[in-house]
Amino acid sequence: MERIQFQLNLDAVPLPCDYFDLIGGTSTGGLIALMLGRLRMSVDDALKRYDSLVGKVFCEGKKTIGDGKFRASVLEDVFKKIIQDATGDAELRMMDLPSDGHVCKTFVCARSALDLGAGKPTLFRSYRAPINKTFDCTIWQAARATSAAPTVFKSIVIGEPGAAQRYIDGGVGLNNPTVQVLDEAESIFSDRRAACIISIGTGQAKTIEIPKPGLFQRIVPLDVVHAMISIASDCEKTSEAMAQRFRNTPNFYFRFNVEHGLQEVKMAQWDRLDKVAAHTMRYLQMEDVKKRLGAAVDAILQRPEHVTTAQIGTEVEQF
């Protein structure tokens, strides 16, 4: 956004929602997607809000009994305050249908707690979808669902009476929702061409190991064990698949993910965000990253008609 401001000689840093047609996210990425897309916040405002959110949730929200290590009610209250300040209505729903139809569309991923083995997540959207429609929940409910990581926050029940379901963090086996972004683009932008897709990671993960069979696997449901295994390779496996899919379409798919330094920073370590910022700035100063970032900005501004939405779901080398 700062590069766009510089290139266009704008008075202020522009909003992501003014330059992206669709933003999707899971877990932490889901919260950020809601702030940047559905709530139309600036990057600086989202950073400040996120810093405040994690500080309160992981410091003030600790608990000793019950599901999850932290009180989900604290997360709910903090995110409701964010929504209230941004829109004036803490209970605003996800559906966002302006009269002129021009608005950044947003979704977050969650998982049905009753079917962890399902290949497809539940998407809570800010727009009408032609297929696989989901309940129009409140924004804070979507935030809770996408961030309800097992052992961290308790799950949340969402839906109409008689049809409500219990949801957990979409990051269980689906930390990288790039495929969902592409599927949604193909579904809702059927008559459009795509300029680029930008995927932002939370840092390269260290090697994840599943314990040998024993008491752990006798107690934990097999679906959860399989989900944990898939988490270990989910993000970079998806990233590699996307790179392969669009290898013959230069400057269309961009993946930015800090390569070193964040492996030891855990979810609840809100007091180490300065370390995240330092390693991110170092990553952005790498020559290769600077070039790719420049190419991404050019793609956003020039909006080249790289791929039709109908072609997004196919192998690009066919064209």
Side-chain angles (χ1 to χ4, degrees):
M1 293 297 103
E2 289 173 345
R3 285 196 180 205
I4 290 175
Q5 178 193 15
F6 177 79
Q7 290 197 29
L8 298 183
N9 195 27
L10 302 176
D11 292 333
V13 179
L15 303 177
C17 64
D18 290 335
Y19 284 85
F20 290 90
D21 298 297
L22 177 66
I23 300 178
T26 297
S27 195
T28 291
L31 299 181
I32 295 170
L34 289 173
M35 288 191 283
L36 297 180
R38 180 60 182 87
L39 299 180
R40 306 198 245 296
M41 295 171 63
S42 70
V43 174
D44 282 345
D45 285 344
L47 283 169
K48 293 174 183 177
R49 290 291 193 168
Y50 183 79
D51 184 48
S52 175
L53 180 148
V54 294
K56 292 181 179 179
V57 169
F58 293 127
C59 182
E60 301 175 12
K62 291 182 180 179
K63 65 179 186 179
T64 56
I65 60 174
D67 292 343
K69 297 179 181 178
F70 302 92
R71 292 197 297 273
S73 59
V74 176
L75 175 60
E76 291 177 11
D77 291 342
V78 175
F79 214 81
K80 283 180 180 180
K81 180 65 165 56
I82 293 174
I83 299 167
Q84 176 70 36
D85 291 345
T87 70
D89 182 3
E91 297 294 329
L92 197 64
R93 293 190 173 272
M94 280 292 291
M95 198 62 64
D96 185 20
L97 301 173
S99 57
D100 61 5
H102 297 291
V103 67
C104 176
K105 294 175 171 56
T106 309
F107 73 81
V108 297
C109 300
R111 287 277 194 183
S112 169
L114 298 179
D115 189 11
L116 290 179
K120 296 285 187 178
T122 296
L123 304 187
F124 292 106
R125 304 175 176 94
S126 68
Y127 52 92
R128 291 198 181 104
I131 58 175
N132 299 323
K133 296 181 180 179
T134 49
F135 179 68
D136 181 23
C137 65
T138 62
I139 299 173
W140 70 261
Q141 286 177 319
R144 271 278 289 112
T146 196
S147 58
T151 76
V152 181
F153 299 111
K154 67 179 181 181
S155 57
I156 182 174
V157 176
I158 298 176
E160 298 283 4
Q165 293 191 49
R166 186 173 297 278
Y167 293 98
I168 63 171
D169 183 353
V172 177
L174 191 73
N175 278 296
N176 186 336
T178 307
V179 172
Q180 282 64 45
V181 171
L182 293 173
D183 288 346
E184 289 295 287
E186 182 182 2
S187 175
I188 62 180
F189 299 126
S190 59
D191 60 343
R192 301 273 292 278
R193 298 185 70 90
C196 68
I197 179 168
I198 296 177
S199 173
I200 302 177
T202 55
Q204 289 274 11
K206 64 180 180 180
T207 300
I208 301 176
E209 180 180 342
I210 302 300
K212 294 180 180 179
L215 180 62
F216 172 79
Q217 289 191 357
R218 289 199 296 269
I219 294 176
V220 179
L222 191 58
D223 274 352
V224 175
V225 175
H226 289 322
M228 291 178 65
I229 294 173
S230 65
I231 287 174
S233 59
D234 168 58
C235 285
E236 295 315 310
K237 181 179 179 181
T238 299
S239 177
E240 180 62 21
M242 291 299 105
Q244 286 288 328
R245 176 186 290 191
F246 299 113
R247 65 179 180 270
N248 292 333
T249 308
N251 298 329
F252 176 74
Y253 170 73
F254 299 92
R255 170 72 169 173
F256 297 102
N257 195 26
V258 178
E259 297 172 358
H260 305 290
L262 301 186
Q263 288 85 349
E264 304 302 324
V265 179
K266 296 179 174 58
M267 182 186 297
Q269 293 179 320
W270 59 273
D271 54 342
R272 300 182 71 182
L273 287 180
D274 57 342
K275 183 174 183 178
V276 174
H279 286 292
T280 301
M281 292 304 297
R282 182 187 303 171
Y283 170 78
L284 291 174
Q285 292 169 1
M286 296 173 61
E287 197 62 31
D288 176 63
V289 176
K290 287 193 292 185
K291 290 180 179 179
R292 287 190 290 114
L293 186 58
V297 171
D298 289 342
I300 294 170
L301 292 178
Q302 298 172 12
R303 302 186 74 84
E305 296 184 344
H306 273 315
V307 181
T308 66
T309 51
Q311 293 169 337
I312 282 177
T314 62
E315 295 297 330
V316 172
E317 56 264 34
Q318 294 176 1
F319 312 125

